[in-house]
Amino acid sequence: MSTATLEPRVHAPRNYLNADYGWKSWLFTLDHKRIALLYMVSVSFFFIIGGSFAVLMRIHLVEPQGALVQPETYNKLFTLHGIVMIFFFLIPSIPAVLGNFLVPLMVGARDLAFPKLNLLSWYIYIVGGMFTLYSAIAGGVDTGWTFYTPYSSTYSNTQVTAVAIGVFITGFSSILTGLNFIVTIHKMRAPGLTWFRMPLFLWAMYATSIIMVLGTPVLAITLFLLALEHLFHVGIFSPALGGDPLLFQHLFWFYSHPAVYIMILPAMGVVSEIIACFARKRIFGYKIIAFSSVAIAVLGFLVWGHHMFVTGQSVYAGLIFSMLSFLVAIPSAIKVFNWTSTLYKGSISYEAPMLYALGFIGLFTMGGLTGLFLASLATDVHLNGTYFIVAHFHYIMVGGAVMGYLGGIHFWWPKISGRKYPDMWARIGAVIIFIGFNLTFFPQFILGYLGMPRRYAFYPAEFQVLNVMSSAGATVLGVGYMIPLIYLIWSMRYGPISEPNPWGATGLEWKTASPPPTENFAQIPVVTEEAYAYAPEEAAGD
Amino acid sequence: MQSFPFQPEQASSIAKSVDQLYLFLTAVTLFFTALIFSIIFYFMVKYRRRSPNERPKAIEGSFPLEVLWTAIPTLIVALIFVWSSVLYFRNAEPPKGAMEIFVTGKQWMWKVEHPEGQREINELHVPLGRPVKLTMTSEDVIHDFFVPAFRVKKDVLPGRYTTLWFEATKVGTFHLFCAQYCGAFHAGMIGSIIVQEPDEYERWLAGGAPGESVEQAGEKVFQASGCPTCHVADGTGLGPSLLGVYGNPVKLTTGETVAADDAYMRESILLPKAKIVLGYSPIMPSFQGQMTDEQLNNVIAYLRALGKAQPKPKEEGKQ
């Protein structure tokens, strides 16, 4: 049996997977593709951890008085769920896994600009992750992923410092990855690959990297100040020590709002690639989509105050932040219209990556539109701090970013592993995830409008029906996530061998073998055509 | 288990107007979601791949369409922005003559003090149809005063005052939630707003422990802390007279003029050197840590009362 499955490998040319064996060849690798796989394994690990916390929370909330754990434990569950999912899964997911694998391939280079820095960023990520896991084992942390002061700095007696150090350290991994991408995209594009011939995934990575490099240091400084107050009682945020209780929120959201775009912009890049490939069409309004990514990245830095409409900040500040937040909606809407128009007169097929991409458009549209409720001052006053917020950002981050990540994994899996997965199972998985997601989070919009605050370990009985509905949906969602996990692992060994370009996609990454050789290309390619040259004229010249 | 409504109760003067905006936003959301979904489904069926060799022609994009679908969302969000901001500004300031009530949040309870001196915990009795202004502060971490039925919410911060106002339009008992995570029993920091007919409310007030009013309590703290030693009513003391100060502009040594509001009074008691009244020296000691938040609220209530008095030499000799 093993010889039968291994047989094709014998004939397989040297590639990055079989170039070398043994743990040293992985842990000391400088190959961006192997580092991408190290990241894939690590973010999947954290996704499972963060997901298990969510499962426990949803089980707990089936009963109004709380079905499973003590309130203190529940508080730790939602805190660690948020921290793990945001800092250790969502932020690194697409950039560090798919971006690492694809940026050099897409620009036609042999590796990223700084391969050693790239490996270092993975180690930094792992060290940060260890601190966070330690804090979870050593008693957990109960501040919420937002670490609001003065609760976090002077009142909580949980592992605040360990987690703050963990997130602080991991931030440097983001900064280094962003730096690597910016330099690579600027300096290492293949001959002929001009800025406006780049695939939109590269534009998205570029915009994301700028946010990472500019925003993450602010988070690091903020957490440093928090740890300083927590450990040494230096008065920065706590009024009892002479500090300002709202300063923390300004600093925190100055990073953490742009961080939402670190999560969603890469997914938008993935979706642009998938839609173009499975509709066999050049993306509609290429330049508009590219520029809207940059516009979102810039505007994203100017809207942090919309998290603080009810803190007592000046009504005029509220007015400005509200207006700027509405402005971000416009480039997002433009993207949705352009993706939809790409389908017009296309030749559309429905393999799993396309189902994820279409699911992304639908869920991102709902997530974006419900954001209008929160940018608008009068309704935000009612909805802020309720389950409406929880539903809204899960539509963006799970419905958007996670669907984008899974779509990307399915799209490039044959390239990454050299194998195909069972398409029927993949389609079933995508549909179950889409349905399970909506069943879980749609009821939470209603819950929030009815007034149920978030982060409640127990709640008035009138909210039970909607909570039970949400928990029931979560079981469907959980099953949905198990399916790809199983068949993707299965396919690594038993999946049929994939040809270099199974989808008939354009883009330099498809012009090399699957899996690619360690050096990516035998010869550095020369680019002579626009991105997404799916039309017959260009195809003829190919 | 019971079934659930799709709208929370409307029990305040602003609830209906907030809900109208909410419904409009829901309509916009449903319309565009339905639009995008149906276009996608239509294209999915109409342009499905019929043969593996299909190679559709490229479409570069369309400038007029880009302008159109930039302009339409811009107009819609501009409309929502204006609508919601007008609504928000109209409700930002409490009407004149609103009843003033102090609220103090602490892990994990709400403490309420009525002007007449009634104290409540996790309950707030208010009369129907009368604007109520809450002046709120926290003894520890950030809390948030949220009454879904009134569509009002405001953070309650340590070391600061925030205000919130509402006018109840329905008799009944409504949820009061803490909507800012505040520690282990955050979920238990809930209370009730009890809206009563005005005469019933008067009876409740009269029936409650006939304690002293907040102003009387404040006057006691004021005396006991030795304030009148310097703040002499006729203005001959080492500190300025406090008659007629609250609610009026105050000139500072820096040349600035500030409004003597709750925040100013609180700061002047806790951090007296931050702002010095023109003509006086920075000699007042800080009362940080010597008054509880509740005592501080009482003193400020007393100062409010003094603010309404004319600065006359002989009135209230104890100044």
Side-chain angles (χ1 to χ4, degrees), chain A residues 75 142 155 244 280-282 310-311 338 341 347-348 350 373 376 381-382 384 449 455-456 462 465, chain B residues 2 8 19 29 44 47 49 52 54 57 59-60 66 69 84 140 153 155 160 175 178 181 184 186:
Chain A
N75 297 342
D142 72 341
Y155 286 86
D244 180 331
R280 288 195 180 158
K281 291 278 286 186
R282 175 166 165 78
V310 299
T311 57
N338 278 292
S341 306
S347 165
I348 307 171
Y350 302 107
F373 292 70
S376 131
V381 167
H382 177 62
N384 198 310
Y449 181 44
R455 298 173 168 179
Y456 264 29
E462 71 223 48
V465 177
Chain B
Q2 62 225 76
D19 284 345
T29 302
M44 277 172 77
Y47 302 116
R49 190 168 298 167
E54 272 181 353
K57 277 211 182 110
I59 301 173
E60 195 51 38
E66 301 289 350
W69 62 47
S84 78
D140 37 48
K153 177 183 290 132
D155 278 3
R160 286 192 189 187
H175 283 302
C178 176
Y181 174 69
H186 168 56

Side-chain angles (χ1 to χ4, degrees), chain A residues 442-459:
Chain A
F442 194 81
Q444 297 186 3
F445 281 122
I446 304 170
L447 261 182
Y449 181 44
L450 292 178
M452 178 165 166
R454 61 194 286 212
R455 298 173 168 179
Y456 264 29
F458 46 93
Y459 56 85

Side-chain angles (χ1 to χ4, degrees), chain A residues 71-72 75 78 142-143 148-151 155 239 244-246 249 277-282 284-285 288 309-312 315-316 319 322-323 326 330 334 336-338 340-341 343-350 358 361-362 366 369 372-373 376-379 381-384 386 388 446 449-451 453-458 460 462-466 468 534-536, chain B residues 1-8 18-19 21-22 25-26 28-29 32-33 36-37 39-40 43-45 47-49 52-62 65-66 69-70 73-74 77 80-81 84-85 87-89 92 107 139-142 144 146 148 151-155 157-160 162 175 177-190:
Chain A
E72 291 95 324
N75 297 342
F78 73 68
D142 72 341
T143 60
Y148 271 17
T149 56
Y151 182 71
Y155 286 86
D244 180 331
L246 291 183
Q249 294 181 29
C277 172
F278 290 88
R280 288 195 180 158
K281 291 278 286 186
R282 175 166 165 78
F284 194 90
I288 305 279
F309 286 158
V310 299
T311 57
V315 288
Y316 301 102
L319 196 69
S322 167
M323 192 182 71
F326 278 119
I330 294 165
I334 292 172
V336 169
F337 291 129
N338 278 292
T340 308
S341 306
L343 302 175
Y344 176 67
K345 290 197 174 170
S347 165
I348 307 171
S349 67
Y350 302 107
L358 294 173
I361 298 179
M366 291 179 71
L369 285 165
L372 298 179
F373 292 70
S376 131
L377 288 161
T379 40
V381 167
H382 177 62
L383 299 169
N384 198 310
T386 68
F388 193 96
I446 304 170
Y449 181 44
L450 292 178
R454 61 194 286 212
R455 298 173 168 179
Y456 264 29
F458 46 93
E462 71 223 48
F463 298 129
Q464 188 178 11
V465 177
L466 285 160
V468 170
Y534 286 101
Chain B
M1 286 208 212
Q2 62 225 76
S3 77
F4 58 89
F6 282 92
Q7 197 171 46
V18 173
D19 284 345
L21 176 60
Y22 183 91
L25 283 160
T26 308
V28 168
T29 302
F32 279 98
T33 306
I36 295 290
F37 271 77
I39 294 176
I40 289 179
F43 286 172
M44 277 172 77
V45 175
Y47 302 116
R48 67 184 182 276
R49 190 168 298 167
N53 299 322
E54 272 181 353
R55 290 281 159 195
K57 277 211 182 110
I59 301 173
E60 195 51 38
S62 156
L65 270 179
E66 301 289 350
W69 62 47
T70 306
T74 307
V77 298
I80 299 169
F81 170 69
S84 78
S85 302
L87 202 57
Y88 179 74
F89 269 71
Q107 288 174 329
E139 287 182 15
D140 37 48
V141 302
I142 300 177
D144 184 287
F146 175 34
R151 314 290 188 274
V152 293
K153 177 183 290 132
K154 189 60 81 71
D155 278 3
L157 302 160
R160 286 192 189 187
T162 51
H175 283 302
F177 290 128
C178 176
Q180 183 61 266
Y181 174 69
C182 60
F185 291 97
H186 168 56
M189 192 166 164
I190 61 181

Side-chain angles (χ1 to χ4, degrees), chain B residues 63-233:
Chain B
F63 187 70
L65 270 179
E66 301 289 350
V67 171
L68 182 74
W69 62 47
T70 306
I72 291 176
T74 307
L75 288 177
I76 293 173
V77 298
L79 170 69
I80 299 169
F81 170 69
V82 171
W83 182 347
S84 78
S85 302
V86 166
L87 202 57
Y88 179 74
F89 269 71
R90 208 166 61 204
N91 298 328
E93 285 298 317
K96 289 254 180 287
M99 237 173 97
E100 304 219 23
I101 296 179
F102 274 112
V103 173
T104 308
K106 64 172 284 189
Q107 288 174 329
W108 291 278
M109 62 169 80
W110 296 103
K111 297 197 288 188
V112 174
E113 268 184 287
H114 291 260
E116 294 79 5
Q118 265 74 8
R119 287 176 172 74
E120 305 182 72
I121 287 182
N122 291 342
E123 279 192 355
L124 168 58
H125 286 74
V126 291
L128 182 75
R130 198 169 152 202
V132 176
K133 177 189 170 196
L134 306 181
T135 300
M136 309 186 289
T137 190
S138 161
E139 287 182 15
D140 37 48
V141 302
I142 300 177
H143 302 283
D144 184 287
F145 191 96
F146 175 34
V147 185
F150 293 173
R151 314 290 188 274
V152 293
K153 177 183 290 132
K154 189 60 81 71
D155 278 3
V156 178
L157 302 160
R160 286 192 189 187
Y161 287 113
T162 51
T163 59
L164 171 156
W165 80 273
F166 57 81
E167 183 185 324
T169 55
K170 207 184 237 182
V171 170
T173 302
F174 305 100
H175 283 302
L176 158 62
F177 290 128
C178 176
Q180 183 61 266
Y181 174 69
C182 60
F185 291 97
H186 168 56
M189 192 166 164
I190 61 181
S192 312
I193 310 288
I194 298 153
V195 181
Q196 298 173 310
E197 295 287 356
D199 51 337
E200 203 184 337
Y201 174 73
E202 290 305 326
R203 248 176 285 139
W204 174 83
L205 268 186
E212 51 195 359
S213 74
V214 275
E215 284 142 34
Q216 288 164 337
E219 189 181 350
K220 272 193 187 157
V221 180
F222 192 80
Q223 298 288 346
S225 307
C227 309
T229 317
C230 298
H231 295 285
V232 182

Side-chain angles (χ1 to χ4, degrees), chain A residues 405-425:
Chain A
Y405 175 67
L406 288 174
I409 289 286
H410 283 82
F411 185 49
W412 284 292
W413 188 256
K415 181 58 62 184
I416 294 169
S417 68
R419 303 270 175 165
K420 287 180 177 172
Y421 49 82
D423 192 60
M424 188 43 73
W425 276 108

Side-chain angles (χ1 to χ4, degrees), chain A residues 46-48 50-51 80-91:
Chain A
F46 280 109
F47 181 74
I48 292 168
L80 283 164
H81 169 71
I83 290 171
V84 166
M85 285 301 203
I86 287 172
F87 297 111
F88 295 94
F89 173 71
L90 283 167
I91 288 179

